[in-house]
Amino acid sequence: FGVNDLTAEGLASITPNPANSQFTLQLTDLLAGSYYFTLYNALGQPVKQEPVTQTSTIIQRNNLSAGIYFWQLTQGNKIVEKGKVVME
């Protein structure tokens, strides 16, 4: 993951960012197939994974502590989008 962590496609975005109790993963287009959203902590460990079946998916914070998290949207073994979200 790098500082310029948005891919050229612009397929997905997260709002609000920074987030409090939840955030919304918004897809511009939902192509056929299964997507998975994975959230990683600063050490690169996966802390949350959810299937994505709609263009708008609410992700609950649950017990995640404040800090910077990195996310990936994958389809099969391919990363289709990635970014970061700040938890307040």
Side-chain angles (χ1 to χ4, degrees):
F1 300 104
V3 174
N4 297 322
D5 50 4
L6 294 178
T7 59
E9 291 87 7
L11 175 72
S13 63
I14 285 186
T15 55
N17 192 359
N20 286 314
S21 62
Q22 66 185 28
F23 55 86
T24 302
L25 173 68
Q26 188 72 41
L27 302 182
T28 57
D29 191 17
L30 190 65
L31 303 173
S34 298
Y35 289 95
Y36 274 92
F37 173 85
T38 307
L39 194 65
Y40 299 89
N41 63 18
L43 301 175
Q45 300 163 324
V47 293
K48 182 179 276 290
Q49 185 173 37
E50 295 194 15
V52 176
T53 58
Q54 304 173 72
T55 55
S56 183
T57 304
I58 294 175
I59 310 290
Q60 297 294 331
R61 177 179 178 166
N62 297 339
N63 58 352
L64 297 176
S65 58
I68 297 173
Y69 292 83
F70 299 94
W71 60 269
Q72 286 185 343
L73 185 67
T74 56
Q75 184 177 32
N77 292 329
K78 180 185 176 198
I79 299 170
V80 294
E81 191 76 87
K82 60 184 176 178
K84 63 186 168 190
V85 61
V86 176
M87 299 290 186
E88 293 186 320

